[in-house]
Amino acid sequence: MGLISYSIKSVITNSLFWFSLLLYLLSLVNISITSFQSGEEFRGYELLFVGFIQTYFGLVTFNILSALPWLGNIAMFLTFIFIYSKQSKKLCLISALFGMACTLSFLFNPYAMLGQDMRLIIVKENSGAYLWVISSVLLLLSALFVQEMPNKKINKDT
């Protein structure tokens, strides 16, 4: 029974992991936000490239909510690495929880620094943003399944 349970959890974990990665990649090419002021649409990869500016200003001005979305991408990237390498299960769970909290913070506070003057304005979420959030939720579920898996065995020939 233990081997069957392990196999099922392994298939679920791998499926969630790869589906989460697929949704994340789709979120990068889809339109993620639309500016209410100019009506301009931004794709996920554009926001990923310029998001560090918003994060920097958010941290410097102690506006943490504006810094969280881009930090969520870093947490998700670390979670992908931890799950793929099957190492650091606790760090995997912590980064997955932080990543999901960061992505959800964007839905509750949809602001972005846009335009030439880089003002923080309210934006409308589009399909890319929702794919990104769903990806982080699936990644958290995958990280939870990893917690129940046995540790990776390391063969030491000495």
Side-chain angles (χ1 to χ4, degrees), residues 111-151:
Y111 285 91
M113 286 185 150
L114 301 174
Q116 294 176 345
D117 56 356
M118 296 300 287
R119 287 183 302 136
L120 196 61
I121 60 171
I122 192 164
V123 294
K124 179 185 179 286
E125 310 91 1
N126 289 348
S127 61
Y130 294 117
L131 288 172
W132 178 57
V133 171
I134 292 169
S135 173
S136 71
V137 171
L138 292 178
L139 197 58
L140 175 64
L141 292 174
S142 182
L144 288 172
F145 274 107
V146 165
Q147 299 303 307
E148 298 179 14
M149 307 286 279
N151 287 332

Side-chain angles (χ1 to χ4, degrees), residues 28-139:
L28 293 176
V29 296
N30 278 305
I31 295 171
S32 293
I33 62 170
T34 303
S35 168
F36 278 125
Q37 292 179 344
S38 67
E40 190 175 2
E41 297 174 333
F42 295 90
R43 296 192 183 274
Y45 69 87
E46 295 171 312
L47 299 172
L48 185 63
F49 289 140
V50 298
F52 68 92
I53 297 169
Q54 179 175 332
T55 301
Y56 172 74
F57 285 121
L59 293 174
V60 170
T61 62
F62 299 107
N63 186 358
I64 302 301
L65 284 178
S66 67
L68 287 179
W70 197 72
L71 293 175
N73 287 312
I74 294 171
M76 288 173 69
F77 179 71
L78 289 174
T79 306
F80 282 125
I81 290 173
F82 291 144
I83 290 175
Y84 185 76
S85 66
K86 296 183 172 92
Q87 299 290 329
S88 305
K89 291 193 302 187
K90 294 297 181 197
L91 284 176
C92 175
L93 184 61
I94 291 168
S95 65
L97 280 169
F98 181 70
M100 191 186 74
C102 290
T103 58
L104 288 175
S105 74
F106 177 72
L107 291 181
F108 294 120
N109 189 28
Y111 285 91
M113 286 185 150
L114 301 174
Q116 294 176 345
D117 56 356
M118 296 300 287
R119 287 183 302 136
L120 196 61
I121 60 171
I122 192 164
V123 294
K124 179 185 179 286
E125 310 91 1
N126 289 348
S127 61
Y130 294 117
L131 288 172
W132 178 57
V133 171
I134 292 169
S135 173
S136 71
V137 171
L138 292 178
L139 197 58

Side-chain angles (χ1 to χ4, degrees), residues 1-16 145 148-149:
M1 186 69 177
L3 183 60
I4 294 172
S5 175
Y6 175 81
S7 298
I8 291 171
K9 288 177 185 176
S10 179
V11 167
I12 291 172
T13 301
N14 286 333
S15 299
L16 287 171
F145 274 107
E148 298 179 14
M149 307 286 279

